[in-house]
Amino acid sequence: MASHSDTLVVFFGATAGANGGKLGSDEREIILLVWQIVDLHENKAGKLQKCLVKPDSLELTDECKEETGLTLEDVVKAKPLDKVLQQFQQSVSSELKCLGRSSYTLCVNSPLVIRQALHPEASKKNLVLPECFFSFVDVRKEFHKCCPGAGPVQELNLNSMLEYVGLPAVSDQLIGVKEVQDMVQLVLHLRTKPHDHDFSRVETVTYKFDSGACKTEMVNSETVIRARGLPWQSSDQDIARFFKGLSIAKGGVALCLNAQGRRNGEALVRFIDPEHRDLALQRHKHHMGSRYIEVYKATGEEFLKIAGGTSNEVAQFLSKENQVIIRMRGLPFTATSQEVLTFLGPESPVTDGTEGLLFVKYPDGRPTGDAFVLFSCEEYAQNALKKHKQILGKRYIELFRSTAAEVQQVLNRYMSTPLISTLPPSPIVPVPVLATPPFLPAASNTRDCVRLRGLPYTAGIEDILEFMGDHTVDIKPHGVHMVLNQQGRPSGDAFIQMKSSDKAFMVAQKCHKKTMKDRYVEVFQCSTEEMSIVLMGGTLNRSGLSPPPCKLPCLSPPTAYAAFPTPPALLSEAALYQPPLLAAPRPPQTTAHSPAHTLAYYPPHPHLYMNMNMNYTAYYPSPPVSPSTVGYFAAPPGAMAAAVAAQPHPAAAASTVLPQPGALVRMQGLPYNAGVKDLLSFFQGYQYAPDEYSSMVQMSEQARSLIQPKEWLCL
C-alpha cells in the first residue's frame, strides 16, 4: 500500500499474555484493539475507539490481568477477532468519509503488534486481513529520523520520546488509551515546525513468499535462522506461513535433507535484514499445527551450503519466475520425459513441456529415480499432487511440494560431495589414523562416568541438567551423551562424563531412582570404556558387558568401511575389514589360543559410532545441528582383501600400498549350509579373478572354524 501522509490511524493492540517488548512471543491471542485517526492535513485527531476481542482460548495470564486491568468476564462478552476487524474497517471508513479522505496508513509504536501478533494469529485462524494491515509506519523510526540525537531506535519508547521534545505524558491509566494518546501527541508535534515531518517511511508486510532461486552471493549470518521439528511433509510455503508477518528473502527457505535424501525436519531460513531475524527468534517453540518448532541462530555459510548451487543445469531449470516446483520420487529408471508428461496428464500441464522436467542423475549418468517438475500455477500443482502414489510402469510414484533450494541440494548431493558441513572429506588411500577430538578422552577403566537408564523419551539435555541439580557443575565440557536407537530415536539411556570418579560415585548415590517427568531414573557409575562400548552397539546390564560387533573378530566387510594402511607386520585379513568409522586396529596380542592367522581387534573410540547402529551423541553444550550429520568414509577400492589373503603371512608383505583390481561384493542372508560352489553358481555368468576365488575359499574355510553358525549370516 502506498504512503498517504494526509491521514494516519494510530493503532495499538494487547494480547492475553505478554505485552510491551515481548508482545507475540508467547503465541497468546489479541484481546484488545485501540485506534484513533489523525488528519495530518488539518493537524487534528479524531475520536478514540476501543474494542475488546474474544480469544478462542478463554484464559488470561496474571501478567496480562495486571497490565491491562481486564478480567476473563470482560473478554467473554466481546466479539471474535474477525468481527472486530470488520468493525475497525467500518469505523475508519466512515470517519474518513466525513473528513473527505479515502485512504490511510497505520501508525504503531512497535512493529510487534502487526508482525508478531496480528498476522500470525490471522494466519492460524485462516483470516484474510484487510489491505491496510500490510503497511504501516513506526513512530519510533519516524521520530529518530527527525531527532537522531534521541538515541538508537531500539532504545526509544513513548516516555523517552515525549521527554526529549518536552511533552507531558498522558495520565490515563487504561492500557491502550494512554499509548494511543501519547502517539497522537508525538505525531502532531512532528508535524509542526521545525520538523514538518511527512511520515513517508512506510514498512510493508509481504503478501506471499517468493520461492525463486537463491542468489549465491555472500549471505549475512545475522539474517539466517535454523528451524527444527518441522513436519516432514511441510513445504517452503508452510514455513513462510509459520513466519507470517516477517519478510523472508527470495528463495530464502532451504529444507535440509538427511543422508538418504529425505527431509530431516529442519530448514534454514534467510530474512531480509537482522531485525526480522531477531523477531523470528522470538517464535522459538511456537506451533505449526500440533508440533512446536525450535528456532535457533544459523550462519550464512550453512545456508549457502544447503541453498547455494553452482550447476548450470539447475540455474537454467530455476530461471523461470513464479513457478511451483513438485518433486517426484520412485520413478522407474527407464522412465522418459514423455512418459512422465503422460503420467501427469493434461489437467496438470508442465511448464514448457519437457524443458520443465529435471531428472536427477548420478555423475555417470545413471538415473536416481528422482525428478523435479515446474508448474505455472497452484491449480496445476494441486492436480499433480492428486497423483501421489499412483502407478507409473510397475512402480508407485511419490509427489511432494519442493523448493528451489531442495532442487539445488539434491542435485549437488548426487553430482558432487555431500553438503553437510560436519562431514569430513572422503579419505584417499593412504590416509592417516583419525585423531581423537580434544573434548573426548580415550577409553579407560577409570569409573568417572555415570549411566542414566529409563529416561523419558521426550527428555532433552536441559531436563538431564535439571535432574542432576547441583552436580551439574561437576560435568566435563561436552560430557552429556544422549544414546539413540537404530531408528535414530531416544533409547532412554544417556551417559555423563564427570570430572572425577568420586564425583561420579556421588551422583550415582544421590540421583539413583530420582524422578524425571513422572518416571524414576536409574543412575549407575561406569567407566569411559564401558560407555564407549555401549555407544558403539554393545550392551551393559546385570549379566555383564557384551562387546559390540566391532570387538569381535571381523572376517567379512560391513556395509561401509575405511581402509587404513597399517604396518605390514600387523596387516591381516581381518585388518582390512574394519567396522565403519573405526581407526586402525590395535596390535594383536599373541596367546596360546591364537589361530594361524592373527586376528585384529578394534578398541572402542568414544568419538566414533557405527553406522549400522546409528548411534548419535549430542554433546553438551554444543549448538544444535542435524542428527544426520554423522561422519563417514568411502568404501576402499575392491579386492584388497583378496590381495592380502593371498600372501602367506602378513610379515611377508613388502609394501603398504595394496593392489586394487576388481571390486569386492558383500552378501547377506546366505543359507547356513551354503558353500563356495553355491556362491559360484549364484554368480554364474560373471567374471572373477582366480586369485579372488582362492581367497574366497581360504577365508570361507577359516570363517567356518572361527564363527558360530548364528554369525555365519554376516559373511
Side-chain angles (χ1 to χ4, degrees), residues 203-450:
E203 297 185 41
T204 59
V205 179
T206 54
Y207 284 89
K208 186 179 180 181
F209 166 64
D210 189 350
S211 58
C214 170
K215 296 181 180 180
T216 56
E217 78 277 4
M218 293 300 295
V219 175
N220 183 2
S221 293
E222 298 299 315
T223 63
V224 182
I225 62 94
R226 178 188 293 272
R228 173 182 291 175
L230 299 165
W232 66 269
Q233 73 273 26
S234 58
S235 66
D236 56 346
Q237 295 294 343
D238 297 321
I239 297 171
R241 186 176 182 181
F242 175 79
F243 290 109
K244 186 67 175 177
L246 307 180
S247 297
I248 300 175
K250 180 179 179 180
V253 176
L255 297 169
C256 300
L257 306 181
N258 61 18
Q260 290 74 41
R262 299 175 182 269
R263 297 172 185 173
N264 64 4
E266 295 188 10
L268 293 169
V269 185
R270 177 189 178 192
F271 295 90
I272 61 171
D273 58 39
E275 179 185 359
H276 288 244
R277 194 282 303 266
D278 292 341
L279 293 178
L281 290 173
Q282 294 182 20
R283 300 195 187 183
H284 179 60
K285 292 198 173 180
H286 283 203
H287 288 77
M288 179 184 290
S290 59
R291 305 186 58 159
Y292 71 83
I293 309 301
E294 301 173 56
V295 182
Y296 302 99
K297 292 181 180 180
T299 66
E301 182 181 8
E302 289 177 305
F303 180 82
L304 284 178
K305 285 181 178 179
I306 299 298
T310 57
S311 169
N312 292 330
E313 185 180 15
V314 174
Q316 183 178 358
F317 179 76
L318 298 175
S319 62
K320 302 176 178 63
E321 297 289 337
N322 301 321
Q323 299 292 310
V324 183
I325 305 175
I326 297 296
R327 180 180 180 181
M328 302 180 69
R329 193 165 62 196
L331 290 169
F333 295 147
T334 58
T336 64
S337 300
Q338 192 58 47
E339 288 174 339
V340 173
L341 294 177
T342 304
F343 171 79
L344 294 172
E347 65 275 8
S348 49
V350 178
T351 302
D352 296 335
T354 57
E355 294 184 6
L357 291 175
L358 178 64
F359 289 94
V360 183
K361 299 180 180 180
Y362 291 106
D364 59 4
R366 292 181 296 114
T368 65
D370 279 26
F372 293 93
V373 190
L374 294 179
F375 296 98
S376 59
C377 66
E378 186 67 28
E379 179 185 356
Y380 296 159
Q382 288 289 351
N383 292 337
L385 291 173
K386 294 177 182 177
K387 297 182 179 294
H388 179 60
K389 291 197 174 182
Q390 291 190 14
I391 303 298
L392 173 59
K394 294 183 179 180
R395 304 189 62 175
Y396 72 85
I397 311 301
E398 298 175 290
L399 288 92
F400 308 96
R401 288 184 176 274
S402 187
T403 67
E406 186 175 21
V407 175
Q408 293 169 332
Q409 190 180 173
V410 170
L411 265 292
N412 287 339
R413 181 179 296 275
Y414 282 111
M415 298 300 294
S416 60
T417 57
L419 298 176
I420 302 175
S421 60
T422 57
L423 289 181
S426 299
I428 301 176
V429 177
V431 295
V433 176
L434 291 175
T436 303
F439 53 85
L440 283 176
S444 69
N445 292 322
T446 305
R447 297 175 65 80
D448 58 352
C449 301
V450 292

Side-chain angles (χ1 to χ4, degrees), residues 469-654:
D470 296 337
H471 301 286
T472 303
V473 296
D474 298 322
I475 300 176
K476 288 184 179 181
H478 309 278
V480 178
H481 306 264
M482 304 289 291
V483 182
L484 304 188
N485 60 21
Q486 295 181 358
Q487 289 74 39
R489 298 175 180 174
S491 66
D493 281 22
F495 287 91
I496 302 176
Q497 293 175 271
M498 308 301 295
K499 293 181 179 178
S500 67
S501 57
D502 294 336
K503 302 294 185 182
F505 176 78
M506 290 299 297
V507 171
Q509 292 294 316
K510 298 290 186 181
C511 298
H512 184 56
K513 291 197 175 181
K514 280 179 57 178
T515 58
M516 180 191 297
K517 297 184 178 179
D518 298 330
R519 294 190 62 173
Y520 76 84
V521 179
E522 298 175 288
V523 182
F524 307 100
Q525 188 178 7
C526 65
S527 66
T528 307
E529 183 176 12
E530 292 170 334
M531 176 189 73
S532 59
I533 286 177
V534 173
L535 290 176
M536 294 172 65
T539 57
L540 178 63
N541 50 40
R542 296 173 182 173
S543 302
L545 185 65
S546 300
C550 62
K551 292 283 285 182
L552 299 172
C554 189
L555 297 177
S556 177
T559 304
Y561 48 91
F564 292 93
T566 55
L570 301 179
L571 199 60
S572 66
E573 295 92 342
L576 287 170
Y577 303 125
Q578 303 180 37
L581 305 179
L582 292 180
R586 68 187 180 193
Q589 299 178 356
T590 305
T591 66
H593 304 287
S594 298
H597 289 275
T598 305
L599 297 177
Y601 292 82
Y602 305 92
H605 293 268
H607 66 290
L608 299 175
Y609 307 101
M610 299 184 65
N611 277 347
M612 66 181 68
N613 293 306
M614 289 303 294
N615 283 325
Y616 170 74
T617 301
Y619 301 109
Y620 170 77
S622 303
V625 295
S626 301
S628 60
T629 57
V630 180
Y632 79 100
F633 293 96
M640 297 179 70
V644 178
Q647 297 178 3
H649 193 275

Side-chain angles (χ1 to χ4, degrees), residues 43-338:
N43 287 340
K44 292 181 180 180
K47 182 180 178 181
L48 188 141
Q49 303 284 345
K50 176 181 176 182
C51 274
L52 295 179
V53 183
K54 180 181 179 181
D56 291 344
S57 177
L58 297 176
E59 181 182 358
L60 305 182
T61 64
D62 295 337
E63 180 185 5
C64 169
K65 293 177 182 178
E66 183 179 350
E67 290 183 354
T68 64
L70 297 174
T71 63
L72 188 59
E73 290 74 17
D74 296 329
V75 298
V76 165
K77 301 175 183 178
K79 298 178 181 179
L81 180 62
D82 56 338
K83 301 297 183 182
V84 173
L85 293 178
Q86 292 179 10
Q87 182 178 339
F88 166 83
Q89 270 195 298
Q90 294 172 359
S91 173
V92 172
S93 299
S94 176
E95 196 165 349
L96 286 178
K97 188 175 181 180
C98 295
L99 294 173
R101 309 282 185 259
S102 59
S103 57
Y104 58 92
T105 304
L106 295 181
C107 177
V108 295
N109 179 39
S110 165
L112 297 180
V113 64
I114 300 294
R115 297 192 183 278
Q116 296 286 75
L118 189 59
H119 275 278
E121 183 176 342
S123 178
K124 290 179 181 179
K125 296 181 177 180
N126 293 317
L127 302 180
V128 179
L129 289 176
E131 185 182 1
C132 62
F133 291 107
F134 286 85
S135 63
F136 62 92
V137 294
D138 188 341
V139 72
R140 298 176 307 159
K141 295 179 180 179
E142 302 293 337
F143 184 86
H144 183 266
K145 187 176 180 181
C146 295
C147 308
V153 173
Q154 294 78 8
E155 299 179 6
L156 294 178
N157 56 55
L158 289 175
N159 290 332
S160 64
M161 290 186 288
L162 290 171
E163 183 179 352
Y164 186 83
V165 297
L167 294 175
V170 176
S171 59
D172 198 314
Q173 297 299 316
L174 293 176
I175 187 172
V177 175
K178 180 182 184 303
E179 285 78 359
V180 168
Q181 291 181 347
D182 284 343
M183 281 191 281
V184 170
Q185 278 196 88
L186 283 172
V187 169
L188 294 176
H189 177 80
L190 295 180
R191 287 291 296 167
T192 61
K193 294 182 179 180
H195 306 296
D196 288 328
H197 192 57
D198 58 0
F199 294 90
S200 59
R201 189 174 179 177
V202 178
E203 297 185 41
T204 59
V205 179
T206 54
Y207 284 89
K208 186 179 180 181
F209 166 64
D210 189 350
S211 58
C214 170
K215 296 181 180 180
T216 56
E217 78 277 4
M218 293 300 295
V219 175
N220 183 2
S221 293
E222 298 299 315
T223 63
V224 182
I225 62 94
R226 178 188 293 272
R228 173 182 291 175
L230 299 165
W232 66 269
Q233 73 273 26
S234 58
S235 66
D236 56 346
Q237 295 294 343
D238 297 321
I239 297 171
R241 186 176 182 181
F242 175 79
F243 290 109
K244 186 67 175 177
L246 307 180
S247 297
I248 300 175
K250 180 179 179 180
V253 176
L255 297 169
C256 300
L257 306 181
N258 61 18
Q260 290 74 41
R262 299 175 182 269
R263 297 172 185 173
N264 64 4
E266 295 188 10
L268 293 169
V269 185
R270 177 189 178 192
F271 295 90
I272 61 171
D273 58 39
E275 179 185 359
H276 288 244
R277 194 282 303 266
D278 292 341
L279 293 178
L281 290 173
Q282 294 182 20
R283 300 195 187 183
H284 179 60
K285 292 198 173 180
H286 283 203
H287 288 77
M288 179 184 290
S290 59
R291 305 186 58 159
Y292 71 83
I293 309 301
E294 301 173 56
V295 182
Y296 302 99
K297 292 181 180 180
T299 66
E301 182 181 8
E302 289 177 305
F303 180 82
L304 284 178
K305 285 181 178 179
I306 299 298
T310 57
S311 169
N312 292 330
E313 185 180 15
V314 174
Q316 183 178 358
F317 179 76
L318 298 175
S319 62
K320 302 176 178 63
E321 297 289 337
N322 301 321
Q323 299 292 310
V324 183
I325 305 175
I326 297 296
R327 180 180 180 181
M328 302 180 69
R329 193 165 62 196
L331 290 169
F333 295 147
T334 58
T336 64
S337 300
Q338 192 58 47

Side-chain angles (χ1 to χ4, degrees), residues 31-51:
I31 61 169
L32 174 66
L33 293 179
V34 184
W35 67 89
Q36 188 173 8
I37 289 181
V38 178
D39 186 350
L40 300 182
H41 184 71
E42 301 291 339
N43 287 340
K44 292 181 180 180
K47 182 180 178 181
L48 188 141
Q49 303 284 345
K50 176 181 176 182
C51 274

